[in-house]
Amino acid sequence: MSELNLILLGPPGAGKGTQAERLVDDFDLPYLATGDILRQAVKDETELGREAKEYMDRGDLVPDDLIVRVIVDRLNTDEASDGFILDGFPRTVPQAEALRDALARLDRSLTAALLVDASDEEVMSRISGRRICVKAGHVYHVETDPPKNDGICDQDGSRLVQRDDDKPETVQKRLSVYHDQTEPVIGFYEDAGLLRRFDGNRSPEEVHDHIRATLATLKLEGEL
Ligand code: AP5
C-alpha cells in the first residue's frame, strides 16, 4: 500500500483528536497535532511556547510562519516518511499552500482531507465537558465518554484536567476564528478533489466507521 498522508479538519471540539486516536490505532501512523505540540511547548517554556501562548490563551491562531516551520520540519524526518495524520494543520489557506508545496518538494502528496463537521451548539456542549490527561492528552468527556475512575486517565493513570482555552468565552472566539480563517481551507481541498466529509454530530463509533469505510473505498479505487 502506498503511503497514507491524511489531515483532519473541522471546528474546535468536533472530535478530530478523538478520531485521530482511533486512526492511529488502525493504521499505525505518526500523529502530529499542532494544538498538542504547541501546548507541550508552552508547558516546556520553549521559545515556540512563549511566542504561541498569548495567541492560544486569546483563542487566536498563532502566526502562519511559526507553525508552518514546525510542521514542515517534522514531515521532513524519518518519523513521517511512510505517512502521517495531521490534526489542526492546516488551518488557513496560506498554511494549506505551504503544506502542498512542502510535500511536492519531497515528491509526496496528500491522500485525503477528512472534514469532521459539527454544529456550534454541539461544539459548545462538548468542549465544556471535555477533560484531558496531563501526561499524554488522552481525551474524555464527563458525560459522553467518562473515564472508568473519576478524574483519572484509563490509559496512563494520570490526572484529568480542563484545557486552559476551554473557557466558554475563549471557545466562542475559537469558533469565530474557525469560521473566518479555517472554513476557506475546506474549499481549497474541495477544489483539489481531496475533501471527504463526515458528520461529527454522530457518535464517535459511527464517525470512525464512516472514515474507515471511506479510506477502504479510496484504497479500492487505487488512490492508496
Ligand atoms: P487545537 O488543540 O488544535 O484545538 P481545536 O482545533 O480547537 O480542536 P480541539 O482539540 O478543541 O477539538 P477536537 O476536534 O480535537 O475535539 P476532541 O476530539 O477533543 O488548537 C488549540 C489552539 O492552538 C488554537 O486555538 C490555536 O491557538 C493553536 N493552533 C493549533 N494549530 C494551529 C495552526 N495550524 N495554526 C495556528 N494556530 C494553531 O473532542 C471534544 C470533546 O467532545 C471531547 O470531550 C470528546 O470526548 C467529545 N467527543 C468527541 N467526539 C464526539 C462525538 N462524536 N460525540 C460526542 N462527543 C464527542
Side-chain angles (χ1 to χ4, degrees):
M1 183 170 95
S2 60
E3 59 186 57
L4 190 53
N5 300 328
L6 300 173
I7 64 168
L8 280 160
L9 275 175
K16 303 181 294 294
T18 300
Q19 294 307 319
E21 275 190 27
R22 289 163 165 79
L23 295 173
V24 167
D25 282 348
D26 293 340
F27 297 106
D28 193 24
L29 287 171
Y31 170 51
L32 300 175
T34 42
D36 292 349
I37 292 170
L38 291 168
R39 278 186 289 281
Q40 189 61 46
V42 170
K43 206 162 139 192
D44 295 344
E45 297 182 6
T46 63
E47 197 184 327
L48 170 68
R50 278 193 292 276
E51 280 192 65
K53 186 174 183 344
E54 60 172 301
Y55 296 97
M56 295 174 76
D57 286 349
R58 283 201 307 262
D60 273 326
L61 298 182
V62 307
D64 285 340
D65 58 336
L66 204 63
I67 194 71
V68 164
R69 247 184 295 140
V70 173
I71 291 300
V72 168
D73 286 352
R74 296 281 290 264
L75 292 181
N76 204 1
T77 61
D78 286 348
E79 171 196 24
S81 60
D82 291 332
F84 55 79
I85 299 178
L86 282 179
D87 172 3
F89 183 93
R91 252 176 156 97
T92 63
V93 170
Q95 289 182 18
E97 290 167 345
L99 176 64
R100 179 198 57 202
D101 297 347
L103 288 173
R105 282 196 294 278
L106 299 170
D107 205 18
R108 301 170 68 181
S109 58
L110 215 56
T111 310
L114 312 175
L115 170 64
V116 181
D117 213 351
S119 65
D120 288 7
E121 297 69 31
E122 180 69 23
V123 160
M124 287 302 293
S125 99
R126 283 186 192 178
I127 290 186
S128 61
R130 171 165 55 192
R131 299 293 180 271
I132 59 166
C133 81
V134 288
K135 192 164 178 195
H138 294 124
V139 181
Y140 298 86
H141 190 281
V142 289
E143 280 162 17
T144 59
D145 186 19
K148 291 192 187 82
N149 298 306
D150 222 13
I152 306 289
C153 178
D154 294 345
Q155 298 190 55
D156 60 32
S158 71
R159 209 161 35 92
L160 300 184
V161 295
Q162 191 162 33
R163 261 170 50 177
D164 287 343
D165 60 349
D166 278 354
K167 295 190 293 281
E169 60 279 17
T170 316
V171 178
Q172 284 290 0
K173 170 74 184 188
R174 284 163 56 202
L175 266 172
S176 92
V177 167
Y178 173 78
H179 292 307
D180 290 349
Q181 298 188 53
T182 306
E183 273 181 353
V185 177
I186 298 171
F188 178 93
Y189 287 117
E190 199 149 42
D191 292 347
L194 291 169
L195 191 75
R196 299 290 181 275
R197 291 176 186 271
F198 304 93
D199 181 0
N201 296 299
R202 292 177 178 272
S203 73
E205 293 70 31
E206 286 174 301
V207 180
H208 179 218
D209 287 347
H210 188 188
I211 294 178
R212 279 173 59 105
T214 300
L215 293 177
T217 308
L218 280 179
K219 190 176 171 188
L220 282 177
E221 288 169 354
E223 291 184 33
L224 294 183

